[in-house]
Amino acid sequence: MPPTTAPHPATGTCPDACSETTTAGLSRRGLLRMAAGAALGAALTTGTTLGGARVAVAATAAPADVLVVLSLRGGMDGLSLVVPSGDPDLQRWRPGIAVPGSTLKRVDGMFGLHPALAPLYPLWDAGRLGAVHACGMPAANRSHFEAMEEMEEAAPGSHLRTGWIDRMVGVAGGGSAFAATQLGSTAAPAALRGPAPEVVAQSLATLGIQVDDALPLSAWESALGHLHRSERPDVAAATQAGLAAAARAGALPPAGAGYPAGRLGTALADVARLVRADVGLRVATVDHGNWDMHSGLGSPEPGRWMYDQVATLAAALAAFAADLGPLLSRVVVVTLSEFGRRAQQNDSGRVDHGYGNAVLVLGGGVVGGRVHGRWPGLAADRLVDGDLAVTTDYRQVLAELLSVRCAVPSVTTSVFPGLVAAPLGLARRG
């Protein structure tokens, strides 16, 4: 019998989250927001903030795909999303919570897609959506905070403390204040940490100069521009770029229709607006948290935690692809989660923190309709301390996308130092 599932919110706190995510009454997101506040304070000393957004400038842009990084924070269970139903050990490890094979969309002799991914099935069949399984960090780390930090720094064994997106923007440049933009949260992730420019905003609707007096907005814009002209060149440039970004955000075309209500749908709609407006966006980051599931897996039914989370994800991505239309050919979306879940359900019929995971990749330049990577198997002697082994370093996925689709040079030296490239054939050129 599948385990009893407690009701849960689509966003917000997790009723069955591990203690690590609820420390001293503060949610993990709350802690991240506090960290963002510190980052904002730092930005104030060297750059500019406008309307709650951190802004600066970038270098020259090059024709390239826009990369959208969708972070599934909390440790998404890849064995429930891209289900290895052809592996004879899956049922042995998960007799109560394995997604029934009869409900899956079978994609080959080994894998099937979770039924809540149904809105994305047409994109899979069209070869615009694919997956990489048994993917993760080079070394296991089952702490949410430490794993996220390491994954977003993406520089194991080095002394770098910048984030990989910041390094990407620094190498590739962008020529626009919107070159690297996070939407949906003002909590800047570690991937954005560093000297390169970023915009971090809750939404485009909140990006602007907020005034509450009799002076017209144009007077404030003029005053701010004049005030910062005597600052250091980087600060002055950041101010001018921020003013330009705020002004342009107000003139962007409206969002497309069909997005699910909620933070994820709003954030992806904003990303699509930036893409359609051609404002020089190179990379966008969006968080879709609440995947720390110690319950709510198994039988795919509406109202269960996993089902609802996957359904929201699928509906939002399908709306994003439909909204972009032909422009999807110049966009690539990749999902990342700090770790997967353990292969074996625990005594409570749940799963604890694990290691290897599944990654989804969507876009016009993706070699989709298949599961990439090498499947290590779920036999006991193939697991790593009880977890799915990692056969593909997640940086290999990102490095291939950055190199082939995003026109980022010197990826393995400047963005992922020390990585030896081993392309999966995940992306096509042109």
Side-chain angles (χ1 to χ4, degrees), residues 116-190:
L117 285 174
L120 296 176
Y121 289 172
L123 291 164
W124 184 279
D125 293 337
R128 294 194 153 196
L129 173 68
V132 184
H133 222 316
C135 189
M137 293 194 293
N141 186 328
R142 296 176 183 82
S143 162
H144 290 294
F145 298 124
E146 293 178 5
M148 283 189 292
E149 188 83 0
E150 290 185 17
M151 175 168 273
E152 293 178 350
E153 286 182 354
S158 83
H159 296 295
L160 287 174
R161 290 299 176 263
T162 55
W164 71 266
I165 292 179
D166 185 86
R167 297 195 294 273
M168 169 198 167
V169 175
V171 171
S176 164
F178 287 110
T181 300
Q182 164 150 313
L183 288 163
S185 172
T186 55

Coordinates of all heavy atoms in Angstrom, one line a residue, residues 116-190:
A116 N 2.3 13.4 -14.5 CA 2.0 14.8 -14.3 C 2.9 15.7 -15.3 O 2.6 16.9 -15.4 CB 2.3 15.2 -12.9
L117 N 3.8 15.0 -16.0 CA 4.6 15.7 -17.0 C 3.8 15.8 -18.4 O 4.3 16.3 -19.4 CB 5.9 15.1 -17.3 CG 7.0 15.3 -16.2 CD1 8.3 14.4 -16.5 CD2 7.4 16.8 -16.1
A118 N 2.6 15.3 -18.4 CA 1.8 15.2 -19.6 C 1.8 16.5 -20.5 O 1.9 16.4 -21.7 CB 0.4 14.7 -19.3
P119 N 1.7 17.7 -19.9 CA 1.7 18.9 -20.8 C 3.0 19.0 -21.6 O 3.1 19.7 -22.6 CB 1.6 20.0 -19.8 CG 0.9 19.4 -18.6 CD 1.4 18.0 -18.5
L120 N 4.1 18.3 -21.2 CA 5.4 18.4 -21.9 C 5.6 17.2 -22.8 O 6.6 17.2 -23.6 CB 6.5 18.4 -20.9 CG 6.6 19.6 -19.9 CD1 7.7 19.5 -18.9 CD2 6.8 20.9 -20.7
Y121 N 4.7 16.3 -22.8 CA 4.8 15.1 -23.7 C 5.0 15.6 -25.2 O 5.8 15.0 -25.9 CB 3.7 14.1 -23.6 CG 3.6 13.4 -22.3 CD1 2.5 12.6 -22.1 CD2 4.6 13.4 -21.4 CE1 2.4 11.8 -20.9 CE2 4.5 12.7 -20.2 CZ 3.4 11.9 -20.0 OH 3.3 11.2 -18.8
P122 N 4.2 16.5 -25.7 CA 4.4 16.9 -27.1 C 5.8 17.5 -27.4 O 6.3 17.2 -28.5 CB 3.3 18.0 -27.3 CG 2.2 17.7 -26.3 CD 3.0 17.2 -25.1
L123 N 6.4 18.2 -26.4 CA 7.7 18.7 -26.6 C 8.7 17.5 -26.6 O 9.7 17.6 -27.3 CB 8.0 19.7 -25.5 CG 7.3 21.0 -25.7 CD1 7.3 21.8 -24.4 CD2 7.8 21.9 -26.8
W124 N 8.5 16.5 -25.8 CA 9.4 15.4 -25.8 C 9.3 14.7 -27.1 O 10.3 14.3 -27.8 CB 8.9 14.4 -24.7 CG 9.8 13.2 -24.5 CD1 9.8 12.1 -25.3 CD2 10.9 13.0 -23.6 NE1 10.8 11.2 -24.9 CE2 11.5 11.8 -23.9 CE3 11.5 13.8 -22.6 CZ2 12.6 11.3 -23.1 CZ3 12.5 13.3 -21.9 CH2 13.1 12.1 -22.2
D125 N 8.1 14.5 -27.6 CA 7.9 13.8 -28.9 C 8.5 14.6 -30.1 O 8.9 14.0 -31.1 CB 6.4 13.5 -29.2 CG 5.8 12.5 -28.2 OD1 6.6 11.7 -27.6 OD2 4.6 12.5 -27.9
A126 N 8.5 15.9 -29.9 CA 9.0 16.7 -31.0 C 10.6 16.9 -30.9 O 11.2 17.6 -31.7 CB 8.4 18.1 -30.9
G127 N 11.2 16.2 -29.9 CA 12.6 16.3 -29.8 C 13.1 17.6 -29.2 O 14.3 17.9 -29.3
R128 N 12.2 18.3 -28.5 CA 12.7 19.6 -27.9 C 12.9 19.5 -26.4 O 13.2 20.4 -25.7 CB 11.7 20.7 -28.2 CG 11.7 21.0 -29.7 CD 11.0 22.3 -30.0 NE 11.5 22.9 -31.2 CZ 11.3 24.2 -31.6 NH1 10.6 24.9 -30.8 NH2 11.8 24.6 -32.7
L129 N 12.5 18.3 -25.8 CA 12.7 18.1 -24.4 C 13.4 16.7 -24.2 O 13.0 15.7 -24.8 CB 11.4 18.0 -23.7 CG 11.4 17.6 -22.2 CD1 12.1 18.6 -21.3 CD2 9.9 17.4 -21.7
G130 N 14.5 16.7 -23.4 CA 15.2 15.5 -23.1 C 15.6 15.5 -21.7 O 15.2 16.4 -20.9
A131 N 16.2 14.4 -21.3 CA 16.6 14.3 -19.9 C 18.0 13.7 -19.8 O 18.5 13.1 -20.8 CB 15.6 13.4 -19.1
V132 N 18.7 13.9 -18.7 CA 19.9 13.3 -18.4 C 19.7 12.6 -17.0 O 19.3 13.3 -16.1 CB 21.1 14.2 -18.3 CG1 22.4 13.5 -18.0 CG2 21.2 15.1 -19.5
H133 N 20.0 11.3 -16.9 CA 19.8 10.6 -15.6 C 21.1 10.2 -15.0 O 22.2 10.3 -15.7 CB 18.9 9.4 -15.8 CG 17.9 9.2 -14.7 ND1 18.2 9.4 -13.4 CD2 16.6 8.9 -14.8 CE1 17.1 9.2 -12.6 NE2 16.1 8.9 -13.5
A134 N 21.0 9.9 -13.7 CA 22.2 9.6 -12.9 C 23.2 10.7 -13.0 O 24.4 10.6 -13.2 CB 22.9 8.3 -13.4
C135 N 22.7 11.9 -12.8 CA 23.5 13.2 -12.9 C 23.6 13.8 -11.5 O 22.7 13.7 -10.7 CB 22.7 14.1 -13.9 SG 23.6 15.6 -14.4
G136 N 24.7 14.5 -11.3 CA 24.9 15.1 -10.0 C 26.3 15.6 -9.8 O 27.1 15.8 -10.8
M137 N 26.7 15.9 -8.6 CA 28.0 16.5 -8.3 C 29.0 15.4 -8.2 O 28.7 14.2 -8.0 CB 27.9 17.2 -6.9 CG 27.0 18.5 -7.0 SD 27.3 19.6 -5.6 CE 26.6 18.6 -4.3
P138 N 30.3 15.7 -8.3 CA 31.3 14.7 -8.3 C 31.4 13.9 -7.0 O 31.7 12.7 -7.0 CB 32.6 15.5 -8.5 CG 32.2 16.8 -9.2 CD 30.8 17.1 -8.6
A139 N 31.0 14.6 -5.9 CA 31.1 13.9 -4.6 C 29.7 14.1 -3.9 O 29.1 15.1 -4.0 CB 32.2 14.4 -3.7
A140 N 29.2 13.0 -3.2 CA 28.0 13.1 -2.6 C 28.0 14.1 -1.4 O 29.0 14.2 -0.7 CB 27.5 11.7 -2.1
N141 N 26.9 14.8 -1.2 CA 26.7 15.8 -0.1 C 25.3 15.8 0.2 O 24.5 16.3 -0.6 CB 27.3 17.1 -0.4 CG 27.3 18.1 0.8 OD1 26.4 18.0 1.6 ND2 28.3 19.0 0.8
R142 N 24.8 15.3 1.3 CA 23.4 15.2 1.6 C 22.9 16.3 2.4 O 21.8 16.2 3.0 CB 23.1 13.8 2.2 CG 23.4 12.7 1.2 CD 23.2 11.3 1.9 NE 23.6 10.3 1.0 CZ 24.8 9.8 0.8 NH1 25.8 10.4 1.4 NH2 25.1 8.9 -0.1
S143 N 23.6 17.4 2.6 CA 23.1 18.6 3.3 C 22.6 19.6 2.2 O 23.3 20.0 1.3 CB 24.3 19.3 4.0 OG 24.0 20.6 4.4
H144 N 21.3 20.0 2.4 CA 20.8 21.0 1.5 C 21.7 22.2 1.3 O 22.0 22.5 0.1 CB 19.4 21.4 2.0 CG 18.3 20.4 1.9 ND1 17.8 19.9 0.8 CD2 17.6 19.8 2.9 CE1 16.9 19.0 1.0 NE2 16.7 19.0 2.4
F145 N 22.0 22.8 2.4 CA 22.8 24.1 2.3 C 24.1 23.9 1.6 O 24.5 24.6 0.7 CB 23.0 24.7 3.7 CG 21.7 25.0 4.3 CD1 21.4 24.5 5.6 CD2 20.7 25.9 3.7 CE1 20.2 24.8 6.2 CE2 19.5 26.2 4.3 CZ 19.2 25.7 5.6
E146 N 24.9 22.9 2.1 CA 26.2 22.7 1.6 C 26.2 22.2 0.1 O 27.0 22.6 -0.7 CB 27.0 21.6 2.4 CG 27.3 22.1 3.8 CD 27.9 21.1 4.7 OE1 28.3 20.0 4.1 OE2 28.1 21.3 5.9
A147 N 25.2 21.3 -0.2 CA 25.1 20.9 -1.6 C 24.7 22.0 -2.5 O 25.3 22.1 -3.6 CB 24.1 19.7 -1.7
M148 N 23.8 22.8 -2.1 CA 23.4 23.9 -3.0 C 24.6 24.9 -3.2 O 24.9 25.4 -4.3 CB 22.2 24.7 -2.4 CG 20.9 24.0 -2.6 SD 19.5 25.0 -2.2 CE 19.7 25.1 -0.4
E149 N 25.3 25.2 -2.1 CA 26.5 26.1 -2.2 C 27.5 25.5 -3.2 O 28.0 26.2 -4.0 CB 27.1 26.3 -0.8 CG 28.1 27.3 -0.7 CD 27.6 28.7 -0.5 OE1 26.3 28.9 -0.5 OE2 28.4 29.7 -0.5
E150 N 27.8 24.2 -3.0 CA 28.8 23.6 -3.8 C 28.4 23.6 -5.3 O 29.1 23.8 -6.2 CB 29.2 22.2 -3.3 CG 29.9 22.2 -2.0 CD 30.3 20.8 -1.6 OE1 30.3 19.9 -2.5 OE2 30.7 20.6 -0.4
M151 N 27.1 23.2 -5.5 CA 26.6 23.1 -6.9 C 26.6 24.5 -7.6 O 26.9 24.5 -8.8 CB 25.2 22.5 -6.9 CG 24.5 22.5 -8.2 SD 23.0 21.5 -8.2 CE 23.7 19.9 -8.6
E152 N 26.3 25.5 -6.8 CA 26.3 26.8 -7.5 C 27.6 27.5 -7.6 O 27.8 28.3 -8.5 CB 25.3 27.7 -6.7 CG 23.9 27.1 -6.9 CD 22.8 27.9 -6.1 OE1 23.1 28.8 -5.3 OE2 21.6 27.6 -6.3
E153 N 28.5 27.1 -6.7 CA 29.9 27.6 -7.0 C 30.5 26.8 -8.1 O 31.3 27.4 -8.9 CB 30.8 27.4 -5.7 CG 30.5 28.4 -4.6 CD 31.3 28.3 -3.4 OE1 32.1 27.3 -3.3 OE2 31.3 29.1 -2.5
A154 N 30.3 25.5 -8.2 CA 30.7 24.7 -9.3 C 32.2 24.7 -9.5 O 32.7 24.8 -10.7 CB 29.9 25.0 -10.5
A155 N 33.0 24.8 -8.5 CA 34.4 24.9 -8.6 C 35.1 24.0 -7.5 O 35.9 24.5 -6.8 CB 34.9 26.3 -8.5
P156 N 34.8 22.7 -7.5 CA 35.4 21.9 -6.4 C 36.9 21.8 -6.6 O 37.4 21.7 -7.7 CB 34.7 20.5 -6.7 CG 34.3 20.5 -8.1 CD 33.9 21.9 -8.4
G157 N 37.6 21.8 -5.4 CA 39.0 21.7 -5.5 C 39.7 23.0 -5.8 O 41.0 23.0 -5.9
S158 N 39.0 24.1 -6.0 CA 39.6 25.4 -6.3 C 39.4 26.3 -5.1 O 38.6 26.0 -4.2 CB 39.1 26.0 -7.6 OG 37.9 26.7 -7.4
H159 N 40.0 27.5 -5.2 CA 39.8 28.5 -4.2 C 38.8 29.6 -4.6 O 38.6 30.6 -3.9 CB 41.1 29.2 -3.9 CG 42.2 28.3 -3.3 ND1 42.0 27.7 -2.1 CD2 43.4 27.9 -3.8 CE1 43.1 27.0 -1.8 NE2 43.9 27.0 -2.8
L160 N 38.1 29.3 -5.7 CA 37.1 30.3 -6.2 C 35.9 30.3 -5.3 O 35.5 29.3 -4.8 CB 36.7 29.9 -7.6 CG 37.7 30.1 -8.8 CD1 37.1 29.5 -10.1 CD2 37.9 31.6 -8.9
R161 N 35.4 31.5 -5.1 CA 34.2 31.6 -4.3 C 33.2 32.4 -5.0 O 32.2 32.9 -4.4 CB 34.6 32.3 -2.9 CG 35.4 31.5 -2.0 CD 34.6 30.2 -1.6 NE 35.3 29.3 -0.8 CZ 36.0 28.3 -1.3 NH1 36.0 28.0 -2.6 NH2 36.7 27.5 -0.5
T162 N 33.4 32.5 -6.3 CA 32.3 33.1 -7.2 C 31.4 32.0 -7.7 O 31.7 30.8 -7.6 CB 33.0 33.8 -8.4 OG1 33.8 32.9 -9.1 CG2 33.8 35.0 -8.0
G163 N 30.2 32.4 -8.2 CA 29.3 31.4 -8.7 C 29.5 31.2 -10.2 O 30.1 32.0 -10.9
W164 N 29.1 30.0 -10.7 CA 29.3 29.7 -12.1 C 28.6 30.6 -13.0 O 29.1 30.9 -14.1 CB 29.0 28.2 -12.4 CG 27.6 27.8 -12.4 CD1 26.8 27.3 -11.4 CD2 26.7 27.9 -13.6 NE1 25.6 27.1 -11.8 CE2 25.5 27.4 -13.1 CE3 26.9 28.3 -14.9 CZ2 24.4 27.3 -14.0 CZ3 25.8 28.2 -15.7 CH2 24.6 27.7 -15.3
I165 N 27.4 31.1 -12.7 CA 26.7 32.0 -13.6 C 27.5 33.4 -13.7 O 27.6 34.0 -14.7 CB 25.3 32.2 -13.2 CG1 24.5 30.9 -13.4 CG2 24.6 33.3 -14.0 CD1 23.0 31.0 -13.0
D166 N 28.0 33.8 -12.5 CA 28.7 35.0 -12.5 C 30.0 34.9 -13.4 O 30.3 35.8 -14.2 CB 29.1 35.4 -11.1 CG 29.9 36.7 -11.0 OD1 29.2 37.7 -10.9 OD2 31.1 36.7 -11.1
R167 N 30.6 33.8 -13.3 CA 31.8 33.6 -14.1 C 31.4 33.5 -15.6 O 32.1 34.0 -16.5 CB 32.6 32.3 -13.7 CG 33.1 32.3 -12.3 CD 34.1 31.2 -12.0 NE 33.6 29.9 -12.1 CZ 33.0 29.3 -11.0 NH1 32.9 29.9 -9.9 NH2 32.5 28.1 -11.2
M168 N 30.3 32.9 -15.9 CA 29.8 32.8 -17.3 C 29.6 34.1 -17.9 O 30.0 34.5 -19.0 CB 28.5 32.0 -17.3 CG 27.8 32.0 -18.7 SD 26.1 31.6 -18.5 CE 25.4 32.1 -20.1
V169 N 28.9 35.0 -17.1 CA 28.6 36.4 -17.6 C 29.9 37.1 -17.8 O 30.1 37.9 -18.7 CB 27.7 37.1 -16.7 CG1 27.5 38.5 -17.1 CG2 26.3 36.4 -16.6
G170 N 30.9 36.9 -16.8 CA 32.1 37.6 -16.9 C 32.9 37.2 -18.2 O 33.6 38.1 -18.8
V171 N 32.8 36.0 -18.6 CA 33.5 35.5 -19.8 C 32.8 35.9 -21.1 O 33.4 36.4 -22.0 CB 33.7 34.0 -19.7 CG1 34.3 33.5 -21.1 CG2 34.6 33.6 -18.6
A172 N 31.5 35.7 -21.1 CA 30.7 35.9 -22.3 C 30.3 37.3 -22.5 O 30.1 37.7 -23.6 CB 29.4 35.0 -22.2
G173 N 30.1 38.1 -21.4 CA 29.7 39.4 -21.6 C 28.2 39.4 -22.0 O 27.6 38.4 -22.2
G174 N 27.6 40.6 -22.1 CA 26.2 40.7 -22.5 C 25.8 42.0 -23.1 O 25.0 42.0 -23.9
G175 N 26.5 43.1 -22.7 CA 26.1 44.4 -23.2 C 24.8 44.9 -22.8 O 24.3 45.8 -23.4
S176 N 24.2 44.4 -21.7 CA 22.9 44.8 -21.3 C 22.8 44.6 -19.8 O 23.4 43.7 -19.2 CB 21.8 43.9 -22.0 OG 20.6 44.0 -21.3
A177 N 22.1 45.5 -19.1 CA 21.9 45.3 -17.7 C 21.1 44.1 -17.4 O 21.1 43.5 -16.3 CB 21.1 46.5 -17.2
F178 N 20.4 43.5 -18.4 CA 19.6 42.3 -18.2 C 20.4 41.1 -18.6 O 19.8 40.0 -18.6 CB 18.3 42.4 -19.1 CG 17.3 43.3 -18.6 CD1 17.0 44.5 -19.3 CD2 16.6 43.1 -17.4 CE1 16.0 45.4 -18.8 CE2 15.6 43.9 -17.0 CZ 15.3 45.1 -17.7
A179 N 21.7 41.2 -18.8 CA 22.4 40.0 -19.3 C 22.2 38.8 -18.4 O 22.0 37.7 -18.8 CB 23.9 40.3 -19.3
A180 N 22.3 39.0 -17.1 CA 22.0 37.9 -16.1 C 20.9 38.4 -15.2 O 21.1 39.4 -14.5 CB 23.3 37.5 -15.3
T181 N 19.8 37.7 -15.1 CA 18.7 38.2 -14.4 C 18.0 37.0 -13.6 O 17.8 36.0 -14.2 CB 17.6 38.8 -15.4 OG1 18.2 39.8 -16.1 CG2 16.4 39.3 -14.6
Q182 N 17.8 37.3 -12.3 CA 17.0 36.3 -11.6 C 15.6 36.9 -11.4 O 15.5 38.1 -11.0 CB 17.6 36.1 -10.2 CG 16.6 35.4 -9.2 CD 17.2 34.5 -8.2 OE1 18.0 33.6 -8.5 NE2 16.7 34.6 -7.0
L183 N 14.6 36.1 -11.6 CA 13.2 36.6 -11.4 C 12.5 35.6 -10.5 O 12.8 34.4 -10.5 CB 12.5 36.7 -12.7 CG 13.0 37.8 -13.6 CD1 12.6 37.7 -15.0 CD2 12.4 39.2 -13.0
G184 N 11.5 36.1 -9.7 CA 10.8 35.2 -8.8 C 11.2 35.3 -7.4 O 10.5 34.9 -6.5
S185 N 12.4 35.9 -7.1 CA 12.9 36.0 -5.8 C 14.0 37.1 -5.7 O 14.7 37.2 -6.7 CB 13.4 34.7 -5.3 OG 14.0 34.9 -4.0
T186 N 14.1 37.8 -4.7 CA 15.2 38.7 -4.5 C 16.3 38.1 -3.7 O 17.3 38.7 -3.4 CB 14.7 40.0 -3.7 OG1 14.1 39.6 -2.5 CG2 13.7 40.8 -4.5
A187 N 16.2 36.8 -3.5 CA 17.3 36.0 -2.8 C 18.2 35.5 -3.9 O 18.0 34.6 -4.6 CB 16.7 34.9 -2.0
A188 N 19.4 36.3 -4.0 CA 20.3 35.9 -5.0 C 21.0 34.6 -4.7 O 21.5 34.4 -3.6 CB 21.4 37.0 -5.2
P189 N 21.0 33.6 -5.6 CA 21.7 32.3 -5.3 C 23.2 32.5 -5.4 O 23.7 33.4 -6.0 CB 21.1 31.4 -6.5 CG 20.9 32.4 -7.6 CD 20.4 33.6 -6.9
A190 N 23.9 31.5 -4.9 CA 25.3 31.5 -4.9 C 25.9 31.5 -6.3 O 27.0 32.0 -6.5 CB 25.9 30.3 -4.1

